[in-house]
Amino acid sequence: MGGYARILRAPGVAPILVATLIGRMPIGISGLAILLYVQDVSGSFAAAGVCAGALALGSAVGAPFQGRLVDWRGERALLPLAFVHAAGLILVWLLGASGAVPAVLAVAAFAAGAAIPPVSSVLRSRWPVLLADEPDLLPTAYALDSVMIEIIFVAGPLLTTVIVAIVGPEYALALSAACVLGGTSMLLASLHGRGRPQAPAAGTRRFGLGALAAPGLRTLVVVSLPVGFALGTMEVVLPAFSADEGSKELAGLLLAVWSGASAVSGLLYGARPARAPLTDVHMRLAISLPLACAALLIATDPVTMALMAIIAGLPIAPLIASRNQLVERVAPLGTSTEAFTWPLTALVAGVSLGAAVSGTLIEQHSWATAVLVAVAASAAGAALLFTRRASLTTALPAPR
């Protein structure tokens, strides 16, 4: 674990990590908070689901445009976005309190999602700059980033649950707004005076393909969709299994075990030195995902499902970490922040699609059927990655 200690000792890195952890906490808070708040004020889980989905859709749609904005204008674009996102969350609260119809709440949630600052992409694009004197730490840095995301997905819902139990879901929205404003402000202060990735060259078209001009990035975007589909399916399958077992409370434990296994695996991935070309490592991890998901089919009771959930979680953080390393390699010059948003957008879209499809499959058939579809989708993604692996070894110059 010495690599992680070296990263934390690098000048200015620790404050940046704290700032991004706080600034990204809305990823783990806002969706659940909106779901619970809209259900509370409307009495409808269907309306609540639509509003939570609108938030996620807005985030997926807006991220690439925000990334390009940061590439062009620098970090100063982050704070206005943070204010708009925070205002959108508070607007959902105020509209709900005034009795607005769910459609209006969904529009406000979409707007809030579309403005969430691309803090994750900013951090990922800055790692080569922050660790310019120690480039051998880049794989460890991207692994650490994946682990931080897992921490957010565990801590965010827990914080939301506590706040809802004590004061109400609207205050979870307020906490999320405070986190995005506070974390973004801290990040800007921590980045002040530091170098940044190369900006777009003079004369570059602002509305061209941008980062998507790189064939390798297009490959990573396309194959991120089935990965997200598998993850979205798992998020529904584990609660469905718990319901079949007659214990809805079991769902939280199984999801925590699944996420925890991913986090531990990510830490171990970043701690060990690379022993194979990055493209090969990523390919192996992509192949391991459908095999790991298939392990859930063995489960017959809560204990075996918990064990299989550990197996299912193992490839996730290393897969995402290696994908981010590849994004950094294949992104055209001057598009680094935007480049990191595209695979994330595809991943989120896949999660939403996987959750929707698996819910229907579980209702009409069984949770095992949903797992089989997730295995097939992630296997197809791995096969596509194999056929396009050559595109991951070539980077493009700055777009014109």
Side-chain angles (χ1 to χ4, degrees):
M1 297 292 175
Y4 294 109
R6 289 167 60 195
I7 290 174
L8 293 174
R9 288 196 300 265
V13 167
I16 290 173
L17 288 177
V18 172
T20 56
L21 185 64
I22 296 172
R24 291 190 284 185
M25 197 57 70
I27 297 172
I29 295 176
S30 296
L32 180 58
I34 283 180
L35 182 77
L36 296 176
Y37 178 64
V38 174
Q39 195 279 326
D40 187 45
V41 297
S42 70
S44 169
F45 271 109
V50 168
C51 291
L55 178 81
L57 179 61
S59 175
V61 170
F65 299 100
Q66 297 159 10
R68 186 172 297 194
L69 180 65
V70 172
D71 284 329
W72 278 94
R73 300 186 62 83
E75 291 83 10
R76 64 180 181 273
L78 292 174
L79 196 55
L81 288 170
F83 273 106
V84 174
H85 177 66
L89 295 176
I90 299 302
L91 181 61
V92 171
W93 177 358
L94 297 177
L95 288 172
S98 66
V101 297
V104 174
L105 296 176
V107 171
F110 178 89
I116 188 169
V119 173
S120 294
S121 297
V122 169
L123 175 63
R124 291 163 188 166
S125 68
R126 267 47 175 188
W127 278 127
V129 177
L130 295 172
L131 301 176
D133 295 333
E134 298 183 274
D136 61 301
L137 290 178
L138 281 177
T140 306
Y142 286 115
L144 178 60
D145 176 75
S146 296
V147 172
M148 288 173 65
I149 291 294
E150 295 294 343
I151 292 172
I152 288 167
F153 277 120
V154 172
L158 289 176
L159 277 173
T160 303
T161 301
V162 171
I163 291 172
V164 169
I166 296 174
V167 287
E170 61 270 32
Y171 292 96
L173 291 173
L175 174 64
S176 187
C179 284
V180 75
L181 288 172
T184 302
S185 299
M186 292 170 61
L187 177 60
L188 291 176
S190 300
L191 290 175
H192 181 69
R194 303 185 68 92
R196 54 167 292 192
Q198 181 172 329
T204 301
R205 292 195 299 268
R206 295 196 180 198
F207 303 105
L209 282 176
L212 288 178
L217 185 64
R218 294 198 296 270
T219 296
L220 293 172
V221 170
V222 173
V223 300
S224 291
L225 187 66
V227 171
F229 186 96
L231 300 186
T233 299
M234 295 304 104
E235 290 178 357
V236 178
V237 162
L238 294 176
F241 173 85
S242 302
D244 284 351
E245 292 294 310
S247 174
K248 293 183 178 180
E249 295 79 9
L250 177 64
L253 176 61
L254 291 177
L255 288 169
V257 167
W258 181 54
S259 296
S262 173
V264 171
S265 179
L267 283 172
L268 295 176
Y269 170 80
R272 62 191 297 271
R275 298 175 182 174
L278 179 58
T279 303
D280 293 346
V281 171
H282 188 67
M283 185 74 249
R284 293 167 189 167
L285 289 167
I287 293 171
S288 71
L289 181 62
L291 298 175
C293 291
L296 297 183
L297 296 170
I298 302 173
T300 57
D301 56 60
V303 174
T304 55
M305 179 56 88
L307 294 174
M308 295 306 105
I310 292 174
I311 294 175
L314 292 178
I316 298 173
L319 178 62
I320 294 174
S322 60
R323 183 201 66 188
N324 288 333
Q325 288 177 257
L326 287 168
V327 170
E328 189 270 327
R329 291 190 181 186
V330 303
L333 295 176
T335 69
S336 57
T337 309
E338 178 195 346
F340 280 104
T341 65
W342 281 110
L344 180 59
T345 293
L347 187 77
V348 171
V351 168
S352 300
L353 181 61
V357 171
S358 62
T360 301
L361 289 172
I362 291 168
E363 187 171 304
Q364 295 181 355
H365 301 283
S366 68
W367 64 263
T369 303
V371 171
L372 286 172
V373 174
V375 169
S378 53
L384 179 61
L385 179 64
F386 180 78
T387 62
R388 291 186 53 84
R389 63 192 183 282
S391 68
L392 301 178
T393 61
T394 305
L396 286 183
R400 299 186 179 278

